């Protein structure tokens, strides 16, 4: 089982000791004391630190060349390391590139003091698999544990690292192999599953991007992992990780929700590797909602009808596509008491979200009109329904209406579009209720204009939550803690 090590970045020995005690009492198996973050080396305080928390600590003094914090002068590293390896620490980390020449001496002292040596290397740029394997071999030849960290920029490289780590563990090597950066989070999520020696976790702020907080790393320890994620390209900022993390934490499930930013050529790699990576489910976002349909084994009724998938469930060798946007929009109408049967609705936009909205509205019995910047696309959406849906050009709106409900299903309203609104403000008096699918910012320019006109409004947050809750239920079979998910979403929006 991988030991979970909380990384302590205090700037002096007393604070580090206090933080380490705290992290250990909160369930960290180990604490990594980062001596490179210290301002000075007070030998008495360091001995006290080693005496009190050292038996469950890793002593690390990272060089600045390998990502160390700019702390004490680097020319003191050698002296510090020699002192540290003779103290009662469980592990001491030394660098193959900087300290490898003294490996023999380090090993002798470490052996005398019962210290396990981690020989580490931190690549500063991505390298190919063979260089990672060579470096692991080199580190293993001079330390008890070989640790290699390498920046990862794509999912395929992260998958390769997981495979490399598994192969080394199988051959009885003690190994830590980390893909750094957001794309490398998979290697951390599967550290325990792959049999790695240590899973480094954040205590407070992460020391590098992609590190999991201690609480998430603890949930994964010794349990079969549930990997969830979001597939898209490029992946902008999303609330989904915060929402699903809250659900996993609320139910104490050994899961993580990862960003899978995959370009079209790598899409199959993640689908094919899902089983061995313990991927139980993914959300799908732009640009794959429609193109992924043909790669899946089954579709639910909503996904089939709309030809779009926002949720994949991975089974034992099979994949099922769902469209929980439909469920999310329908439930949000109910939960907010918005009745649409026999009412007149205007939908703006002609993308996947607009299609899901029109689908729900026509099934609920509303009379639906649809408008879009490119009217031809609105006509295509209207034609795709058996029920009567009328397409209107945007410039016809001042002569049309009134509508009981307006739904914005374009991205206008998100921050990058400034104050732009998707329909002329002059039509707002003809509208009963304004529903903006945009949820960030919580009050969009359209909602603000509608409120000024005295109209009730809602943002897309409720829909987002209900579609997320449905996806979560499909993946885990558990009833999701919607209130905790809502709190997490609101917190992330602050
Ligand atoms: P999409 O498939 O890319 O469609 C975007 C639509 O917006 C298209 O009709 C496009 O018009 C129109 N559009 C884009 N930029 C525009 C601009 N500058 N001016 C006028 N119209 C513009 O996107 P989608 O998946 O349908 O999503 C649409 C929005 O709904 C996004 O903001 C998304 O975040 C939101 N959404 C929210 C939820 C939720 O749970 N709350 C769920 C799904 C989506 P053209 O056809 O002319 O290009």
């Amino acid at each position: 089982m991988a030991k979970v090590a909380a990384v302590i970045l205090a700037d002096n020995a007393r604070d580090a000791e206090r933080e380490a005690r705290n992290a250990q009492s909160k369930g960290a198996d180990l604490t990594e004391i980062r001596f490179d973050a210290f301002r000075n080396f007070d030998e008495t305080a360091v001995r006290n630190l080693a005496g009190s928390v050292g038996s469950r600590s890793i002593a690390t003094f990272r060089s600045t060349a390998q990502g160390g914090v700019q702390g004490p002068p680097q020319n003191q590293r050698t002296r510090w390391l020699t002192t540290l390896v003779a103290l009662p620490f469980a592990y001491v980390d030394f660098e193959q590139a900087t300290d490898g020449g003294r490996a023999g001496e380090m090993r002798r002292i470490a052996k005398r003091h019962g210290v396990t040596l981690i020989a580490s290397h931190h690549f500063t740029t991505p390298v190919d698999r063979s260089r990672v394997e060579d470096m692991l071999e080199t580190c293993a030849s001079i330390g008890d544990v070989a640790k290699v960290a390498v920046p990862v920029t794509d999912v395929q490289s992260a998958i390769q690292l997981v495979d490399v780590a598994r192969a080394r563990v199988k051959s009885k090597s003690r190994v830590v192999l980390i893909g750094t950066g957001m794309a490398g989070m998979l290697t951390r999520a599967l550290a325990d599953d792959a049999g790695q020696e240590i899973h480094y976790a954040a205590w407070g702020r992460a020391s590098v991007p992609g590190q999991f907080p201690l609480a998430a790393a603890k949930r994964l320890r010794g349990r079969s992992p549930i990997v969830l994620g979001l597939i898209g390209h490029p992946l902008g900022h999303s609330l989904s990780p915060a929402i699903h993390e809250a659900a996993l934490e609320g139910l104490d499930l050994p899961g993580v929700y990862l960003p899978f930013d995959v370009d079209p050529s790598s899409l199959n790699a993640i689908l094919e590797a899902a089983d061995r990576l313990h991927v139980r489910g993914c959300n799908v976002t732009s640009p794959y909602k429609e193109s992924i349909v043909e790669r899946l084994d089954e579709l639910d009724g909503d996904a089939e009808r709309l030809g779009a998938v926002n949720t994949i469930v991975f089974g034992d060798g099979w994949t099922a596509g769902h469209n929980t946007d439909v469920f999310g929009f329908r439930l949000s109408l109910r939960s907010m008491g918005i009745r649409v049967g026999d009412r007149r609705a205007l939908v703006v936009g002609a993308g996947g979200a607009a299609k899901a909205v029109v689908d729900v509205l026509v099934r609920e019995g509303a009379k639906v009109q649809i408008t879009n910047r490119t009217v031809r696309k609105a006509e295509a959406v209207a034609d795709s329904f058996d029920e009567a849906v009328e397409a209107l050009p945007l410039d016809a709106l001042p002569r049309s209406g009134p509508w009981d409900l307006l739904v914005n299903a374009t991205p206008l309203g998100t921050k990058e579009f400034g104050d732009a609104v998707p329909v002329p403000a002059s039509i707002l008096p003809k509208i009963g209720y304004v529903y903006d699918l945009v949820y960030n910012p919580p009050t969009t320019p359209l909602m603000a204009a509608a409120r000024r006109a005295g109209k009730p409004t809602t943002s897309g947050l409720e829909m987002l939550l209900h579609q997320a809750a449905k996806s979560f239920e499909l993946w885990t079979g558990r009833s999701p803690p919607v209130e905790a998910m809502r709190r997490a979403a609101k917190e992330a929006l602050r």
Side-chain angles (χ1 to χ4, degrees), residues 157-221:
S157 309
I159 296 172
Q160 278 186 359
L161 292 185
V162 172
D163 291 340
V164 169
R166 281 194 178 135
R168 288 210 61 98
V169 170
K170 218 168 166 190
S171 62
K172 302 276 182 273
S173 288
R174 295 169 76 181
V175 67
V176 176
L177 180 53
I178 303 169
T180 58
M182 302 307 278
M185 289 174 84
L186 187 65
T187 63
R188 298 179 187 273
L190 298 179
D192 191 274
D193 179 73
Q196 298 204 29
E197 177 91 6
I198 297 164
H199 178 173
Y200 291 84
W203 175 250
R205 81 183 153 92
S207 57
V208 281
Q211 210 169 49
F212 288 106
L214 175 61
K218 267 179 13 185
R219 285 204 313 272
L220 292 164
R221 183 175 48 194

Side-chain angles (χ1 to χ4, degrees), residues 191-354:
D192 191 274
D193 179 73
Q196 298 204 29
E197 177 91 6
I198 297 164
H199 178 173
Y200 291 84
W203 175 250
R205 81 183 153 92
S207 57
V208 281
Q211 210 169 49
F212 288 106
L214 175 61
K218 267 179 13 185
R219 285 204 313 272
L220 292 164
R221 183 175 48 194
R223 300 161 82 189
S224 180
I226 299 172
V227 176
L228 308 173
L230 175 62
I231 295 177
H233 182 70
L235 282 184
H237 179 73
S238 165
L239 288 187
S240 295
I243 293 174
H244 288 292
E245 283 292 339
L248 291 163
E249 190 174 331
L251 298 177
D252 187 30
L253 293 176
V256 289
Y257 188 94
L258 307 178
F260 293 127
D261 189 335
V262 287
D263 64 26
S265 65
S266 321
L267 191 52
N268 274 345
I270 181 81
L271 297 179
E272 281 161 11
D275 264 2
R276 71 178 198 279
L277 300 175
H278 300 278
V279 179
R280 181 91 65 88
C282 284
N283 285 128
V284 182
T285 187
S286 174
Y288 301 126
K289 280 187 170 181
E290 291 174 4
S291 59
I292 206 151
V293 163
E294 65 196 29
R295 302 177 200 229
L296 305 175
D297 298 320
E298 296 170 16
L299 296 178
D300 76 1
D302 292 333
E304 175 109 54
R305 238 182 13 264
L306 298 182
V309 158
N310 79 329
T311 301
I312 307 174
V313 179
F314 293 90
D316 201 2
W318 55 263
T319 50
H322 300 258
N323 192 314
T324 68
D325 281 341
V326 172
F327 174 89
F329 183 66
R330 188 188 306 122
L331 199 62
S332 70
L333 292 176
R334 301 245 162 88
S335 68
M336 291 182 297
I338 304 172
R339 285 204 331 98
V340 294
D342 284 331
R343 309 268 170 107
R344 291 170 54 98
L346 174 65
V347 178
V348 194

Side-chain angles (χ1 to χ4, degrees), residues 349-353 372-374 377 409-412 417 437 439 460 463-464:
N372 187 45
R373 172 178 69 176
T374 315
K377 290 196 194 161
T410 77
L412 288 186
F417 289 99
L437 294 199
Y439 45 81
M463 173 177 172
L464 181 77

